[in-house]
Amino acid sequence: MEKGLLKCPFCGGEDIKIIDRIDVSDGMHTLYHAKCSGCGASTDEQKSQFDAIMAWNRRV
Ligand SMILES: [Zn+2]
């Protein structure tokens, strides 16, 4: 599990990954979102890894 991520609020899984991808709209920026490998729950895409972690931890 990535550092600082809480367990999945949906399935209780601890296998949460931060996924990054290039923003296809400009090809220069990277977007990040957190995703649970257990149930597939994910956050919206964020501008930074830190924001993705915060977005995940805010989920209830
Ligand atoms: Zn889950």
Side-chain angles (χ1 to χ4, degrees), residues 2-43:
E2 301 275 347
K3 196 175 179 183
L5 285 165
L6 299 179
K7 284 184 189 177
C8 178
F10 304 106
C11 71
E14 295 185 1
D15 191 14
I16 317 299
K17 293 195 166 62
I18 298 294
I19 316 269
D20 57 83
R21 72 171 185 88
I22 301 297
D23 182 354
V24 291
S25 66
D26 64 14
M28 291 171 62
H29 297 95
T30 306
L31 296 173
Y32 302 86
H33 68 278
K35 183 170 185 181
C36 172
S37 300
C39 68
S42 65
T43 65

